[in-house]
Amino acid sequence: MQKMFIGGRWLAARDERTLPVVAPEDGQTFDHIARGGAHEIDLAVAAARHAVEHGAWGRMTATERGRVLVKIGQAVLDHADELARIEARDTGKPMATARNDIAVLARYFEFYGSAADKVHGEVIPFLNGYQVSLVREPLGVTAHIIPWNYPAQMIGRTVAPALAMGNGTVLKPAEDTSLSALRFAEIATAAGLPEGALNVVTGLGEEAGAALAAHPGIDFVSFTGSNEVGALVQQAAAKNAVKCVLELGGTSPQVVFADADLDRAVPIIVKAIVQNAGQTCTAGSRLLVEQSAYERVVGRVAEAFAKVRVGTPAMDLDCGPLMNPAQLARVNRYIDGAISAGIPVLAQGRVADGVPAGGFYVRPTLFGPVPRTAALACEEVFGPVLAALPFADETDAIALANGTPYGLLAAVWTENSGRLHRVAKAVKAGQVFMNCYGAGGGVELPFGGTKRSGHGREKGLLALEELSTTKTLVHFHG
Ligand code: NAD
């Protein structure tokens, strides 16, 4: 049984309650985590507050904090194989993907560790006799609620910049995937992170997550996950008048014009939806193709799609199983719904022979042409399902790309540079890729949503602004 990490100590839930940890590859329970709730969240918020206001963490200079973060990055790399195995078992993803996720976790700590003492204030010209300066300060206690699709990457993405700015943090990992966060806390502590700087409370979203989002002792909440829960978190933050960063869903379009370099585009387009079994907020789930080249482009994508193989983490194929039975049912609902609506299946990947019977496997599926009003064209499936739709011209492409409530990522594929930039500018998304796709580990690149994909920015140096506040110092010296 895995205990929680609060104030530098390992604790079981007060009532000793636990939750099972199930492996997506075979559906078997292989461990248990503590089922924390409001009581443990109280303890964690108090520990984080103490660390910032009275502990060794709050006394550290920015340079010292940065040094600790860089050491954590190195310690993660030193434990990369172990962490990747934990992550692969917990999420079902292929080992190669899990290894990459751990490398990205390390990279976040290196990046933000190096940046910690390079956040400078400003001197503002004002009236004669005054000296005005703007200093940047930590927010205080920051709360981080993360999903199950990229647990290790998410720790780096949200916690590393918070620590770099000197906040005390409380992390609530997803109930399906808490193991890497717990092991990470141990590794970070051994690397020199003072007690209380990072607290990890495991448990259910509606218990521990809701208690954290609504806690009057937090100064900020970052949430990544579904739109439904994001709205609840924002309401809770509003009641305490604290800032909230939301990273929600997406239906990111791949906009392919007839002159696109298909040798380059096709493998990237397939990977962008198959990676992590499509359980990626930035999955390129809509393939929008210029009508005149539709058959040719979709034919090439179908050929590549049919070669996709799904297997266990150890098989290390293109992707693994889905996360849990609910996710499997959800994705199958979309696939079966599209088939019974008569939408043509253009290609399906295969589940490898020999996968365990109880695993949550689904066949990656390419549909097309998908009607513009079909669920597959408008909603987030969060699975390895790609919807191909033809468009008439540039204006139609932009309208179609912007035609869902989401705006997270987009890609434009064309050899015409004027068109590339016109479309990139017109598409509503937090990131637009031109003849490439996906930030993946792009820790340097500011990331976040427009429209219903959320608000606020993570990654890059902009995250340091989100995770800090300013104070204007006005000094009359005569
Ligand atoms: P989810 O919203 O159910 O859970 C996310 C996290 O919120 C988990 O830690 C969960 O325990 C917690 N939670 C659940 N109910 C809560 C509540 N009432 N109060 C506070 N916390 C609560 O989402 P999920 O099923 O884990 O993930 C799938 C969804 O997340 C998809 O829609 C996907 O697009 C989105 N997502 C977005 C991003 C992004 O960066 N934009 C990344 C990953 C996932």
Side-chain angles (χ1 to χ4, degrees), residues 29-87:
T29 297
F30 67 95
D31 206 342
H32 286 81
I33 53 168
R35 182 171 166 178
H39 171 69
E40 287 75 21
I41 291 291
D42 276 346
L43 295 178
V45 171
R49 176 69 61 196
H50 183 83
V52 171
E53 293 186 357
H54 309 289
W57 181 236
R59 287 193 294 275
M60 280 188 175
T61 63
T63 304
E64 288 166 338
R65 283 200 308 272
R67 209 172 271 147
V68 170
L69 263 64
V70 170
K71 279 190 189 152
I72 294 173
Q74 185 55 51
V76 167
L77 292 177
D78 293 343
H79 294 84
D81 197 57
E82 179 201 351
L83 284 166
R85 280 176 201 290
I86 292 172
E87 193 77 335

CSV table of all heavy atoms in Angstrom, one decimal, residues 29-87:
chain,number,residue,atom,x,y,z
A,29,THR,N,-5.5,-5.7,-10.4
A,29,THR,CA,-5.1,-4.8,-9.3
A,29,THR,C,-3.7,-5.3,-8.8
A,29,THR,O,-3.5,-6.4,-8.5
A,29,THR,CB,-6.1,-4.9,-8.1
A,29,THR,OG1,-7.4,-4.5,-8.6
A,29,THR,CG2,-5.7,-4.1,-6.9
A,30,PHE,N,-2.8,-4.3,-8.8
A,30,PHE,CA,-1.4,-4.7,-8.4
A,30,PHE,C,-0.9,-3.9,-7.2
A,30,PHE,O,0.2,-4.2,-6.7
A,30,PHE,CB,-0.4,-4.7,-9.6
A,30,PHE,CG,-0.2,-3.3,-10.1
A,30,PHE,CD1,0.9,-2.5,-9.6
A,30,PHE,CD2,-1.0,-2.7,-11.0
A,30,PHE,CE1,1.2,-1.3,-10.1
A,30,PHE,CE2,-0.8,-1.4,-11.5
A,30,PHE,CZ,0.3,-0.7,-11.0
A,31,ASP,N,-1.7,-3.0,-6.7
A,31,ASP,CA,-1.2,-2.2,-5.6
A,31,ASP,C,-2.4,-1.4,-5.0
A,31,ASP,O,-3.5,-1.5,-5.6
A,31,ASP,CB,-0.1,-1.2,-6.0
A,31,ASP,CG,0.8,-0.8,-4.9
A,31,ASP,OD1,0.4,-1.0,-3.7
A,31,ASP,OD2,1.9,-0.2,-5.2
A,32,HIS,N,-2.2,-0.7,-4.0
A,32,HIS,CA,-3.3,0.2,-3.4
A,32,HIS,C,-2.7,1.6,-3.1
A,32,HIS,O,-1.5,1.6,-2.7
A,32,HIS,CB,-3.9,-0.4,-2.2
A,32,HIS,CG,-4.8,-1.6,-2.5
A,32,HIS,ND1,-4.3,-2.8,-2.7
A,32,HIS,CD2,-6.2,-1.6,-2.7
A,32,HIS,CE1,-5.3,-3.6,-3.0
A,32,HIS,NE2,-6.5,-2.9,-3.0
A,33,ILE,N,-3.5,2.6,-3.2
A,33,ILE,CA,-3.0,3.9,-2.7
A,33,ILE,C,-4.0,4.4,-1.6
A,33,ILE,O,-5.1,3.9,-1.5
A,33,ILE,CB,-3.1,5.0,-3.9
A,33,ILE,CG1,-4.4,5.0,-4.5
A,33,ILE,CG2,-1.9,4.7,-4.9
A,33,ILE,CD1,-4.6,6.2,-5.5
A,34,ALA,N,-3.5,5.3,-0.8
A,34,ALA,CA,-4.3,5.9,0.3
A,34,ALA,C,-5.4,6.7,-0.3
A,34,ALA,O,-5.2,7.5,-1.3
A,34,ALA,CB,-3.4,6.7,1.2
A,35,ARG,N,-6.6,6.6,0.3
A,35,ARG,CA,-7.7,7.4,-0.2
A,35,ARG,C,-7.9,8.7,0.7
A,35,ARG,O,-8.6,8.7,1.6
A,35,ARG,CB,-9.0,6.6,-0.2
A,35,ARG,CG,-10.2,7.3,-0.7
A,35,ARG,CD,-11.4,6.3,-0.8
A,35,ARG,NE,-12.6,6.9,-1.0
A,35,ARG,CZ,-13.8,6.2,-1.1
A,35,ARG,NH1,-13.8,4.9,-1.1
A,35,ARG,NH2,-14.9,6.9,-1.3
A,36,GLY,N,-7.1,9.7,0.4
A,36,GLY,CA,-7.1,10.9,1.1
A,36,GLY,C,-8.4,11.7,0.9
A,36,GLY,O,-9.0,11.5,-0.1
A,37,GLY,N,-8.7,12.6,1.8
A,37,GLY,CA,-9.9,13.4,1.7
A,37,GLY,C,-9.6,14.8,2.3
A,37,GLY,O,-8.5,15.2,2.4
A,38,ALA,N,-10.7,15.4,2.7
A,38,ALA,CA,-10.6,16.8,3.2
A,38,ALA,C,-9.6,16.9,4.4
A,38,ALA,O,-8.8,17.9,4.4
A,38,ALA,CB,-12.0,17.2,3.7
A,39,HIS,N,-9.5,15.9,5.2
A,39,HIS,CA,-8.6,16.0,6.4
A,39,HIS,C,-7.1,16.0,5.9
A,39,HIS,O,-6.3,16.9,6.4
A,39,HIS,CB,-8.8,14.8,7.3
A,39,HIS,CG,-7.8,14.6,8.4
A,39,HIS,ND1,-7.7,15.5,9.4
A,39,HIS,CD2,-6.7,13.8,8.5
A,39,HIS,CE1,-6.7,15.2,10.2
A,39,HIS,NE2,-6.1,14.1,9.7
A,40,GLU,N,-6.8,15.2,5.0
A,40,GLU,CA,-5.4,15.1,4.5
A,40,GLU,C,-5.1,16.4,3.7
A,40,GLU,O,-3.9,16.8,3.7
A,40,GLU,CB,-5.2,13.9,3.6
A,40,GLU,CG,-5.1,12.6,4.5
A,40,GLU,CD,-6.5,12.1,5.0
A,40,GLU,OE1,-7.5,12.5,4.4
A,40,GLU,OE2,-6.5,11.3,6.0
A,41,ILE,N,-6.1,16.9,2.9
A,41,ILE,CA,-5.8,18.1,2.2
A,41,ILE,C,-5.6,19.3,3.2
A,41,ILE,O,-4.6,20.1,3.0
A,41,ILE,CB,-7.1,18.5,1.3
A,41,ILE,CG1,-7.2,17.5,0.2
A,41,ILE,CG2,-7.0,19.9,0.8
A,41,ILE,CD1,-6.1,17.5,-0.9
A,42,ASP,N,-6.3,19.3,4.3
A,42,ASP,CA,-6.0,20.3,5.4
A,42,ASP,C,-4.5,20.2,5.8
A,42,ASP,O,-3.8,21.2,5.9
A,42,ASP,CB,-6.9,20.1,6.6
A,42,ASP,CG,-8.3,20.7,6.5
A,42,ASP,OD1,-8.4,21.5,5.6
A,42,ASP,OD2,-9.1,20.3,7.3
A,43,LEU,N,-4.1,19.0,6.1
A,43,LEU,CA,-2.7,18.8,6.6
A,43,LEU,C,-1.7,19.3,5.5
A,43,LEU,O,-0.7,19.9,5.8
A,43,LEU,CB,-2.5,17.3,6.9
A,43,LEU,CG,-3.3,16.7,8.0
A,43,LEU,CD1,-2.9,15.2,8.1
A,43,LEU,CD2,-3.0,17.4,9.3
A,44,ALA,N,-2.0,18.9,4.2
A,44,ALA,CA,-1.0,19.2,3.2
A,44,ALA,C,-1.0,20.8,2.9
A,44,ALA,O,0.1,21.3,2.7
A,44,ALA,CB,-1.5,18.5,1.9
A,45,VAL,N,-2.1,21.4,2.9
A,45,VAL,CA,-2.1,22.9,2.7
A,45,VAL,C,-1.4,23.5,3.9
A,45,VAL,O,-0.6,24.5,3.7
A,45,VAL,CB,-3.6,23.4,2.6
A,45,VAL,CG1,-3.6,24.9,2.6
A,45,VAL,CG2,-4.2,22.9,1.3
A,46,ALA,N,-1.6,23.1,5.1
A,46,ALA,CA,-0.9,23.6,6.3
A,46,ALA,C,0.6,23.4,6.2
A,46,ALA,O,1.4,24.3,6.5
A,46,ALA,CB,-1.4,23.0,7.6
A,47,ALA,N,1.0,22.2,5.7
A,47,ALA,CA,2.4,21.9,5.6
A,47,ALA,C,3.1,22.8,4.5
A,47,ALA,O,4.2,23.3,4.7
A,47,ALA,CB,2.6,20.4,5.2
A,48,ALA,N,2.4,23.0,3.4
A,48,ALA,CA,2.9,23.9,2.3
A,48,ALA,C,3.0,25.3,2.8
A,48,ALA,O,4.0,26.0,2.6
A,48,ALA,CB,2.0,23.8,1.1
A,49,ARG,N,2.0,25.8,3.6
A,49,ARG,CA,2.1,27.1,4.1
A,49,ARG,C,3.2,27.3,5.1
A,49,ARG,O,4.0,28.3,5.0
A,49,ARG,CB,0.7,27.4,4.8
A,49,ARG,CG,0.6,28.8,5.5
A,49,ARG,CD,0.6,29.9,4.5
A,49,ARG,NE,-0.6,29.9,3.7
A,49,ARG,CZ,-0.7,30.6,2.5
A,49,ARG,NH1,0.2,31.4,2.1
A,49,ARG,NH2,-1.8,30.5,1.8
A,50,HIS,N,3.4,26.3,5.9
A,50,HIS,CA,4.5,26.4,6.9
A,50,HIS,C,5.8,26.4,6.2
A,50,HIS,O,6.7,27.2,6.5
A,50,HIS,CB,4.4,25.1,7.8
A,50,HIS,CG,5.5,25.2,8.9
A,50,HIS,ND1,5.4,25.9,10.1
A,50,HIS,CD2,6.7,24.6,8.9
A,50,HIS,CE1,6.5,25.7,10.8
A,50,HIS,NE2,7.3,25.0,10.1
A,51,ALA,N,6.0,25.6,5.1
A,51,ALA,CA,7.2,25.5,4.4
A,51,ALA,C,7.6,26.9,3.8
A,51,ALA,O,8.7,27.3,3.8
A,51,ALA,CB,7.2,24.5,3.2
A,52,VAL,N,6.6,27.6,3.3
A,52,VAL,CA,6.8,28.9,2.6
A,52,VAL,C,7.1,30.0,3.7
A,52,VAL,O,8.0,30.8,3.5
A,52,VAL,CB,5.6,29.3,1.8
A,52,VAL,CG1,5.7,30.7,1.3
A,52,VAL,CG2,5.4,28.3,0.6
A,53,GLU,N,6.3,30.0,4.8
A,53,GLU,CA,6.4,31.1,5.7
A,53,GLU,C,7.4,30.9,6.9
A,53,GLU,O,7.9,31.9,7.4
A,53,GLU,CB,5.0,31.4,6.3
A,53,GLU,CG,4.1,31.9,5.2
A,53,GLU,CD,2.7,32.4,5.6
A,53,GLU,OE1,2.4,32.2,6.8
A,53,GLU,OE2,1.9,32.8,4.7
A,54,HIS,N,7.6,29.7,7.2
A,54,HIS,CA,8.5,29.4,8.4
A,54,HIS,C,9.6,28.4,8.1
A,54,HIS,O,10.5,28.2,9.0
A,54,HIS,CB,7.7,29.0,9.6
A,54,HIS,CG,6.5,29.9,9.9
A,54,HIS,ND1,6.7,31.1,10.4
A,54,HIS,CD2,5.2,29.7,9.7
A,54,HIS,CE1,5.5,31.7,10.5
A,54,HIS,NE2,4.6,30.8,10.1
A,55,GLY,N,9.5,27.7,7.0
A,55,GLY,CA,10.5,26.6,6.8
A,55,GLY,C,11.7,26.9,6.0
A,55,GLY,O,11.9,28.1,5.5
A,56,ALA,N,12.5,25.9,5.8
A,56,ALA,CA,13.8,26.1,5.1
A,56,ALA,C,13.5,26.5,3.6
A,56,ALA,O,14.2,27.3,3.0
A,56,ALA,CB,14.6,24.8,5.1
A,57,TRP,N,12.4,26.0,3.1
A,57,TRP,CA,12.0,26.3,1.7
A,57,TRP,C,11.8,27.8,1.5
A,57,TRP,O,12.4,28.4,0.6
A,57,TRP,CB,10.7,25.6,1.3
A,57,TRP,CG,10.2,25.8,-0.1
A,57,TRP,CD1,9.0,26.2,-0.4
A,57,TRP,CD2,10.9,25.5,-1.3
A,57,TRP,NE1,8.9,26.3,-1.8
A,57,TRP,CE2,10.1,25.9,-2.3
A,57,TRP,CE3,12.2,25.1,-1.6
A,57,TRP,CZ2,10.5,25.7,-3.7
A,57,TRP,CZ3,12.6,24.9,-2.9
A,57,TRP,CH2,11.7,25.3,-3.9
A,58,GLY,N,11.1,28.5,2.4
A,58,GLY,CA,10.8,29.9,2.2
A,58,GLY,C,12.0,30.8,2.4
A,58,GLY,O,12.1,31.9,2.0
A,59,ARG,N,13.1,30.2,3.1
A,59,ARG,CA,14.3,31.0,3.4
A,59,ARG,C,15.3,30.9,2.2
A,59,ARG,O,16.2,31.7,2.2
A,59,ARG,CB,14.9,30.5,4.7
A,59,ARG,CG,14.2,31.0,6.0
A,59,ARG,CD,15.0,30.7,7.2
A,59,ARG,NE,15.3,29.3,7.4
A,59,ARG,CZ,14.4,28.5,8.1
A,59,ARG,NH1,13.3,29.0,8.6
A,59,ARG,NH2,14.7,27.2,8.3
A,60,MET,N,15.1,30.0,1.3
A,60,MET,CA,16.1,29.8,0.3
A,60,MET,C,16.0,31.0,-0.7
A,60,MET,O,15.0,31.5,-1.0
A,60,MET,CB,15.7,28.5,-0.5
A,60,MET,CG,16.2,27.3,0.1
A,60,MET,SD,16.0,25.9,-1.0
A,60,MET,CE,16.8,24.6,-0.1
A,61,THR,N,17.2,31.3,-1.2
A,61,THR,CA,17.3,32.4,-2.2
A,61,THR,C,16.8,31.7,-3.6
A,61,THR,O,16.8,30.5,-3.7
A,61,THR,CB,18.7,32.9,-2.4
A,61,THR,OG1,19.5,31.8,-2.8
A,61,THR,CG2,19.2,33.5,-1.1
A,62,ALA,N,16.6,32.5,-4.6
A,62,ALA,CA,16.2,32.0,-5.9
A,62,ALA,C,17.3,31.1,-6.4
A,62,ALA,O,17.0,30.0,-7.0
A,62,ALA,CB,15.9,33.1,-6.8
A,63,THR,N,18.5,31.5,-6.2
A,63,THR,CA,19.6,30.6,-6.7
A,63,THR,C,19.6,29.3,-6.0
A,63,THR,O,19.8,28.2,-6.7
A,63,THR,CB,21.0,31.4,-6.5
A,63,THR,OG1,20.9,32.6,-7.1
A,63,THR,CG2,22.1,30.6,-7.1
A,64,GLU,N,19.4,29.3,-4.7
A,64,GLU,CA,19.4,28.0,-4.0
A,64,GLU,C,18.2,27.1,-4.5
A,64,GLU,O,18.4,25.9,-4.7
A,64,GLU,CB,19.3,28.2,-2.5
A,64,GLU,CG,20.6,28.8,-1.9
A,64,GLU,CD,20.4,29.4,-0.5
A,64,GLU,OE1,19.3,29.7,-0.1
A,64,GLU,OE2,21.4,29.5,0.2
A,65,ARG,N,17.1,27.8,-4.7
A,65,ARG,CA,15.9,27.0,-5.2
A,65,ARG,C,16.2,26.4,-6.5
A,65,ARG,O,16.0,25.2,-6.8
A,65,ARG,CB,14.7,27.9,-5.3
A,65,ARG,CG,14.0,28.3,-4.1
A,65,ARG,CD,12.6,28.7,-4.4
A,65,ARG,NE,12.4,29.8,-5.4
A,65,ARG,CZ,12.5,31.1,-5.1
A,65,ARG,NH1,12.7,31.5,-3.9
A,65,ARG,NH2,12.4,31.9,-6.1
A,66,GLY,N,16.8,27.2,-7.4
A,66,GLY,CA,17.1,26.7,-8.7
A,66,GLY,C,18.1,25.5,-8.7
A,66,GLY,O,17.9,24.6,-9.4
A,67,ARG,N,19.1,25.6,-7.8
A,67,ARG,CA,20.0,24.6,-7.7
A,67,ARG,C,19.3,23.3,-7.2
A,67,ARG,O,19.6,22.2,-7.7
A,67,ARG,CB,21.1,25.0,-6.6
A,67,ARG,CG,22.4,24.4,-6.8
A,67,ARG,CD,23.4,25.0,-5.9
A,67,ARG,NE,24.0,26.2,-6.4
A,67,ARG,CZ,24.4,27.2,-5.6
A,67,ARG,NH1,24.2,27.3,-4.3
A,67,ARG,NH2,25.0,28.3,-6.2
A,68,VAL,N,18.4,23.4,-6.3
A,68,VAL,CA,17.7,22.2,-5.8
A,68,VAL,C,16.9,21.6,-7.0
A,68,VAL,O,16.9,20.4,-7.2
A,68,VAL,CB,16.7,22.5,-4.7
A,68,VAL,CG1,15.8,21.3,-4.4
A,68,VAL,CG2,17.5,22.9,-3.4
A,69,LEU,N,16.2,22.4,-7.8
A,69,LEU,CA,15.4,21.9,-8.9
A,69,LEU,C,16.3,21.2,-10.0
A,69,LEU,O,15.9,20.2,-10.5
A,69,LEU,CB,14.6,23.1,-9.6
A,69,LEU,CG,13.2,23.2,-9.1
A,69,LEU,CD1,13.1,23.6,-7.6
A,69,LEU,CD2,12.4,24.2,-9.9
A,70,VAL,N,17.4,21.8,-10.2
A,70,VAL,CA,18.3,21.2,-11.2
A,70,VAL,C,18.8,19.8,-10.7
A,70,VAL,O,18.9,18.8,-11.4
A,70,VAL,CB,19.5,22.1,-11.5
A,70,VAL,CG1,20.6,21.4,-12.3
A,70,VAL,CG2,19.1,23.3,-12.3
A,71,LYS,N,19.1,19.8,-9.4
A,71,LYS,CA,19.5,18.5,-8.8
A,71,LYS,C,18.3,17.4,-8.9
A,71,LYS,O,18.5,16.3,-9.1
A,71,LYS,CB,19.8,18.6,-7.3
A,71,LYS,CG,21.2,19.2,-7.1
A,71,LYS,CD,21.6,19.1,-5.6
A,71,LYS,CE,22.9,19.8,-5.3
A,71,LYS,NZ,22.9,20.3,-4.0
A,72,ILE,N,17.1,17.9,-8.7
A,72,ILE,CA,15.9,17.0,-8.9
A,72,ILE,C,15.9,16.5,-10.3
A,72,ILE,O,15.7,15.3,-10.5
A,72,ILE,CB,14.6,17.7,-8.5
A,72,ILE,CG1,14.6,18.1,-7.0
A,72,ILE,CG2,13.4,16.9,-8.9
A,72,ILE,CD1,13.4,18.9,-6.6
A,73,GLY,N,16.1,17.3,-11.3
A,73,GLY,CA,16.1,16.9,-12.6
A,73,GLY,C,17.2,15.8,-12.9
A,73,GLY,O,16.9,14.8,-13.5
A,74,GLN,N,18.3,16.0,-12.3
A,74,GLN,CA,19.4,15.0,-12.4
A,74,GLN,C,19.0,13.7,-11.7
A,74,GLN,O,19.2,12.6,-12.2
A,74,GLN,CB,20.7,15.5,-11.8
A,74,GLN,CG,21.9,14.6,-12.0
A,74,GLN,CD,22.1,14.2,-13.5
A,74,GLN,OE1,22.2,15.1,-14.4
A,74,GLN,NE2,22.2,12.9,-13.8
A,75,ALA,N,18.4,13.8,-10.5
A,75,ALA,CA,18.0,12.6,-9.8
A,75,ALA,C,16.9,11.8,-10.5
A,75,ALA,O,16.9,10.6,-10.5
A,75,ALA,CB,17.4,13.0,-8.4
A,76,VAL,N,16.0,12.6,-11.2
A,76,VAL,CA,15.0,11.9,-12.1
A,76,VAL,C,15.7,11.1,-13.2
A,76,VAL,O,15.4,9.9,-13.4
A,76,VAL,CB,14.0,12.9,-12.6
A,76,VAL,CG1,13.2,12.3,-13.8
A,76,VAL,CG2,13.1,13.5,-11.5
A,77,LEU,N,16.7,11.7,-13.8
A,77,LEU,CA,17.4,11.0,-14.8
A,77,LEU,C,18.2,9.7,-14.3
A,77,LEU,O,18.2,8.7,-14.9
A,77,LEU,CB,18.4,11.9,-15.5
A,77,LEU,CG,17.8,13.0,-16.4
A,77,LEU,CD1,18.9,13.9,-17.0
A,77,LEU,CD2,16.9,12.4,-17.5
A,78,ASP,N,18.7,9.9,-13.0
A,78,ASP,CA,19.4,8.8,-12.4
A,78,ASP,C,18.4,7.6,-12.1
A,78,ASP,O,18.8,6.5,-12.0
A,78,ASP,CB,20.0,9.2,-11.1
A,78,ASP,CG,21.2,10.2,-11.3
A,78,ASP,OD1,21.7,10.3,-12.4
A,78,ASP,OD2,21.5,10.9,-10.3
A,79,HIS,N,17.1,7.9,-11.9
A,79,HIS,CA,16.1,6.9,-11.7
A,79,HIS,C,15.2,6.7,-12.9
A,79,HIS,O,14.1,6.2,-12.7
A,79,HIS,CB,15.3,7.3,-10.5
A,79,HIS,CG,16.0,7.3,-9.2
A,79,HIS,ND1,16.8,8.4,-8.8
A,79,HIS,CD2,16.2,6.4,-8.2
A,79,HIS,CE1,17.4,8.1,-7.6
A,79,HIS,NE2,17.0,6.9,-7.2
A,80,ALA,N,15.7,7.1,-14.0
A,80,ALA,CA,14.8,7.1,-15.2
A,80,ALA,C,14.2,5.7,-15.5
A,80,ALA,O,13.0,5.6,-15.8
A,80,ALA,CB,15.5,7.6,-16.4
A,81,ASP,N,15.0,4.7,-15.4
A,81,ASP,CA,14.4,3.4,-15.8
A,81,ASP,C,13.3,2.9,-14.8
A,81,ASP,O,12.3,2.5,-15.2
A,81,ASP,CB,15.6,2.4,-15.9
A,81,ASP,CG,15.1,1.1,-16.6
A,81,ASP,OD1,14.7,1.3,-17.8
A,81,ASP,OD2,15.1,0.0,-16.1
A,82,GLU,N,13.6,3.1,-13.5
A,82,GLU,CA,12.7,2.7,-12.5
A,82,GLU,C,11.4,3.5,-12.7
A,82,GLU,O,10.3,3.0,-12.6
A,82,GLU,CB,13.3,3.0,-11.1
A,82,GLU,CG,12.4,2.7,-10.0
A,82,GLU,CD,12.7,3.4,-8.7
A,82,GLU,OE1,13.8,4.0,-8.6
A,82,GLU,OE2,11.9,3.3,-7.7
A,83,LEU,N,11.5,4.8,-12.8
A,83,LEU,CA,10.3,5.7,-13.0
A,83,LEU,C,9.5,5.3,-14.2
A,83,LEU,O,8.3,5.3,-14.2
A,83,LEU,CB,10.7,7.2,-13.0
A,83,LEU,CG,11.1,7.8,-11.6
A,83,LEU,CD1,11.8,9.1,-11.8
A,83,LEU,CD2,9.8,7.9,-10.8
A,84,ALA,N,10.2,5.0,-15.3
A,84,ALA,CA,9.5,4.7,-16.6
A,84,ALA,C,8.8,3.4,-16.4
A,84,ALA,O,7.6,3.2,-16.9
A,84,ALA,CB,10.5,4.5,-17.7
A,85,ARG,N,9.3,2.4,-15.7
A,85,ARG,CA,8.6,1.1,-15.4
A,85,ARG,C,7.3,1.4,-14.6
A,85,ARG,O,6.3,0.8,-14.8
A,85,ARG,CB,9.5,0.1,-14.7
A,85,ARG,CG,10.5,-0.5,-15.6
A,85,ARG,CD,11.5,-1.5,-15.0
A,85,ARG,NE,12.6,-1.6,-15.9
A,85,ARG,CZ,12.5,-2.3,-17.1
A,85,ARG,NH1,11.3,-2.9,-17.4
A,85,ARG,NH2,13.5,-2.3,-17.9
A,86,ILE,N,7.5,2.2,-13.5
A,86,ILE,CA,6.3,2.5,-12.7
A,86,ILE,C,5.2,3.2,-13.6
A,86,ILE,O,4.0,2.8,-13.5
A,86,ILE,CB,6.7,3.5,-11.6
A,86,ILE,CG1,7.6,2.8,-10.6
A,86,ILE,CG2,5.5,4.1,-10.9
A,86,ILE,CD1,8.3,3.7,-9.5
A,87,GLU,N,5.6,4.1,-14.4
A,87,GLU,CA,4.7,4.9,-15.2
A,87,GLU,C,4.0,4.0,-16.3
A,87,GLU,O,2.8,4.0,-16.5
A,87,GLU,CB,5.4,6.0,-15.9
A,87,GLU,CG,4.5,7.0,-16.6
A,87,GLU,CD,3.9,8.0,-15.6
A,87,GLU,OE1,3.8,7.6,-14.4
A,87,GLU,OE2,3.5,9.1,-16.0
